Amino acid sequence: MALDYKQCAKEIYETVGKRENLVSAAHCATRLRLVTVDNSKVDIKKLDNIEGVKGVFESNGQLQIIIGTGTVNKVYDEFLAVSGMSAATKDDVKAAAAKKQPVWKRMLKTVGDVFVPILPAIVASGLMMGIVEALGKVPGLGFVDTDWYAFLDMVANTAFAFLPVIVAISAARVFGGNIFLGAVVGLLMVHTSLLNGWNVGNADAINSFFGITTGELPQWHLFGDILPINRSGYQGHVIPVIIAIYFMSKLEAWLHKHVPEMIDLFVTPLVTVFVTALLTFTIIGPIFSTAETYVLSGAKWLVTSTYGIGAIVMGALYPVTVVMGLHHMYNVIEAGMLAEGGLNIWMPIATAANFAQFGACLAVGIKTHRQKTKAVAIPSALSASLGITEPAIFGVNLRFMKPFVCGMIGGAVGAFVASMMKIGATAYGVTGIPGYLTINNPGLYTIVLLVAGGVAFTLVMFFWKGEPADDAAVEAEAEKSAEAEAEEKAVEEAEAEDKAEDDSPATLYNPIKGNVIALKDIPDQTFAAGILGEGVGIEPEEETVYAPCDGQVSMVFDTKHAIGLTGPKGVELLIHVGLDTVDMKGDGFDICVKEGDSVKRGDKLMTFSKKKITAAGHSTTTAFIVSDPGDCEVTALEPGKKAVGDEVITIK
């Protein structure tokens, strides 16, 4: 018996709480994707039993109802009719789901989005750093004096020495800024004319670097005594880099919108980099420098004056300072302890904090059913056991938050044990397993590692529920029911289909009837050279521009001669009618849409007058380009006479 699409849609609508509990609705090839005001008001079991529904699960704030290929679109149409809602895209739903999350979750997601692409680099570097440092500390081996040590140390340290650069590039992608401008800002923060950020507070390093004898870090005074700039870099820092690139991306977007097109190409990058650099070094940087001073003083007082209580506090807060990029300053405390002729009692506390993050990350790697997460968590945990925790913290624990908190608790307990045992190290610079080479009591040190790592590991295993897809897998394994297995299979098929959708090529269609020409044949050097992006030129026969794909209007130029769109796979498109038509200041152009509008392929975007363009002395040749392809490959199809809607560009 054929499914009653209307009845199915009606039952879903009533079960999810009707219109007052709905924010957005879209569909993909197999699923109805809903964002609700409150998912707890939805009877999942009842929803799952509706005829036509093959499975239900929650993911990233979305309620995803599996209906099936060829059916979901019909149910969706009926759902829109019964609910009175307007159609939305998958991206609209994802955005709505993200907005529902608390601010702290959105901030953590942003950090995760920045770090996920760069994880391979920092995981590999973290593992190598731990191994090289450990070998360099082995007594009698003499490895530290060899060329191999120097070479491997350089290779291992590169990702961390220039961490602000790769973080800046990734952050620029996340915030929609130019990744090359982001790279420049990142490079500024580790410029060779600045003292390495890890040596701030080291008087000998300051004197040697600047050729002075005062031991005080020099400053630049661009505005007299107001907002002086410390001449130190930001190696190892993360948060100030992300903040700087966020500002840079917003400033760049604003400038692109307001600077006249004819000077935009050089004015916008120049102003963006200069203003961002000034803000970073006069405001963002000093805030974190001040924070370093207070954290350093507070940490030293806690560890040396409050015994077990201070150790508990610092064992818990140490990974937070890693997130902020403030942890490298603790070397000053350790050096001071050793200079006074005592033991380095800070090292066991730092080790407890680091090894707890190792335990938490390892538990995630064991408990998760997602191979992608497991492949990151296991090597990141190994890196953390060697004292390099950035991969574990940023790549795994902080993304899921609860493992990070479990690690903080484990670190607090382990640090308290270390303090009560009164153990210490005879050197500084290493933690975790390599710390055995400097600790005064290896047996008690082992207990600290077991306690810190064990507490964190156990807490994660008991209290972290896993990722959304993991819950279904665990339930299926526990219940061994045919119903649960069917749902799991449906989820896997849906996820596989999503991946297939993402990987499949997309097509852009001709927006104006006319003769399509190769990009290199456009009579404008900037367009023809591909400086603004790949695409085609169009010699128009008619005077109406239509949407080349489903998407969203991202920019309408004040002079009305060009429109920006966000298209399939998130690529940015530009339709620029005529050459140098910015000089016409809108005369002869009429815009039919506004920024933020969602458009469907074939919707009217604008009209223009060929006669007025020609009378003004300009060419009517129109550029249709992919201005920001992201990671996609853009291919222009065979030129020639094309009607509106003919295929002209593919994106893979």
Side-chain angles (χ1 to χ4, degrees), residues 90-308:
K90 286 193 293 182
D91 288 338
D92 293 333
V93 171
K94 288 179 180 177
K99 288 179 181 178
K100 280 183 58 186
Q101 295 180 327
V103 173
W104 66 271
K105 277 195 173 182
R106 295 204 299 270
M107 292 175 67
L108 286 180
K109 182 181 183 300
T110 299
V111 174
D113 290 342
V114 169
F115 268 86
V116 167
I118 65 177
L119 279 177
I122 62 174
V123 169
S125 294
L127 283 171
M128 187 177 290
M129 279 180 67
I131 294 170
V132 172
E133 287 184 8
L135 290 174
K137 295 287 184 178
V138 175
L141 185 62
F143 183 62
V144 73
D145 298 319
T146 66
D147 290 345
W148 268 109
Y149 176 86
F151 174 74
L152 292 175
D153 185 56
M154 178 192 70
V155 174
N157 279 321
T158 297
F160 288 93
F162 297 97
L163 185 61
V165 181
I166 56 178
V167 168
I169 291 171
S170 185
R173 284 187 180 275
V174 171
F175 297 132
N178 184 297
I179 62 172
F180 301 106
L181 296 184
V184 171
V185 173
L187 286 165
L188 278 170
M189 298 179 79
V190 292
H191 198 280
T192 53
S193 66
L194 302 173
L195 177 72
N196 190 305
W198 295 327
N199 291 327
V200 173
N202 186 325
D204 290 337
I206 292 174
N207 289 339
S208 174
F209 186 82
F210 292 105
I212 58 179
T213 58
T214 62
E216 295 181 1
L217 184 65
Q219 295 179 324
W220 282 315
H221 296 272
L222 304 183
F223 309 103
D225 292 331
I226 301 174
L227 300 176
I229 297 175
N230 290 328
R231 294 173 62 181
S232 60
Y234 292 85
Q235 285 82 357
H237 287 265
V238 171
I239 302 301
V241 182
I242 294 176
I243 294 172
I245 298 302
Y246 174 80
F247 174 82
M248 183 209 81
S249 301
K250 296 302 179 184
L251 175 61
E252 182 193 7
W254 187 89
L255 289 170
H256 277 311
K257 194 173 181 179
H258 292 85
V259 173
E261 185 179 351
M262 64 186 298
I263 59 174
D264 177 66
L265 188 61
F266 63 90
V267 168
T268 294
L270 175 65
V271 175
T272 298
V273 171
F274 174 71
V275 173
T276 302
L278 206 56
L279 180 74
T280 299
F281 284 96
T282 58
I283 298 177
I284 298 175
I287 287 174
F288 279 84
S289 295
T290 303
E292 284 182 351
T293 301
Y294 284 117
V295 171
L296 187 62
S297 300
K300 186 174 182 178
W301 177 80
L302 281 169
V303 173
T304 59
S305 304
T306 59
Y307 304 104

Side-chain angles (χ1 to χ4, degrees), residues 361-630:
C361 186
L362 181 64
V364 171
I366 291 174
K367 191 171 184 180
T368 184
H369 291 270
R370 288 188 177 178
Q371 289 302 315
K372 187 174 182 180
T373 301
K374 194 182 294 289
V376 171
I378 300 300
S380 295
L382 179 57
S383 173
S385 73
L386 298 173
I388 311 299
T389 57
E390 283 88 347
I393 290 176
F394 290 111
V396 181
N397 296 348
L398 194 61
R399 287 173 56 202
F400 301 120
M401 195 55 187
K402 192 169 287 186
F404 182 72
V405 174
C406 292
M408 292 175 64
I409 296 172
V413 176
F416 175 75
V417 172
S419 178
M420 291 298 99
M421 290 178 173
K422 302 186 184 305
I423 59 175
T426 57
Y428 67 91
V430 292
T431 59
I433 293 174
Y436 277 105
L437 301 171
T438 64
I439 200 70
N440 68 331
N441 192 319
L444 296 181
Y445 186 68
T446 300
I447 294 175
V448 172
L449 297 183
L450 291 175
V451 170
V455 168
F457 181 91
T458 303
L459 289 175
V460 172
M461 294 300 288
F462 272 95
F463 295 107
W464 183 59
K465 294 182 179 180
E467 297 160 277
D470 296 343
D471 294 338
V474 172
E475 182 182 349
E477 185 177 349
E479 296 181 2
K480 298 296 183 182
S481 66
E483 203 171 287
E485 289 176 3
E487 179 174 338
E488 180 188 6
K489 183 178 179 181
V491 171
E492 289 175 351
E493 289 175 350
E495 290 178 343
E497 180 183 3
D498 254 8
K499 185 177 186 303
E501 287 177 3
D502 292 340
D503 292 342
S504 60
T507 301
L508 301 179
Y509 300 89
N510 189 33
I512 310 172
K513 181 180 179 180
N515 183 41
V516 174
I517 61 176
L519 189 72
K520 63 181 179 62
D521 295 329
I522 295 179
D524 178 274
Q525 186 175 359
T526 302
F527 283 118
I531 294 173
L532 299 179
E534 296 298 324
V536 298
I538 305 169
E539 296 171 341
E541 295 179 1
E542 296 183 350
E543 300 178 327
T544 302
V545 180
Y546 298 93
C549 59
D550 295 349
Q552 186 176 49
V553 179
S554 57
M555 183 179 296
V556 175
F557 286 72
D558 294 339
T559 48
K560 302 179 182 180
H561 70 294
I563 287 182
L565 301 170
T566 301
K569 300 181 182 294
V571 301
E572 294 295 328
L573 313 175
L574 174 67
I575 303 174
H576 188 289
V577 178
L579 302 177
D580 297 321
T581 45
V582 64
D583 297 337
M584 297 175 66
K585 299 181 179 179
D587 184 33
F589 299 90
D590 285 308
I591 301 295
C592 308
V593 292
K594 62 182 183 299
E595 286 185 20
D597 283 353
S598 294
V599 295
K600 294 290 185 181
R601 171 187 159 195
D603 287 352
K604 185 186 291 188
L605 300 180
M606 65 184 293
T607 59
F608 60 94
S609 169
K610 292 171 59 180
K611 184 177 180 180
K612 285 190 174 183
I613 293 174
T614 303
H618 303 305
S619 168
T620 60
T621 301
T622 295
F624 175 32
I625 62 174
V626 181
S627 55
D628 184 357

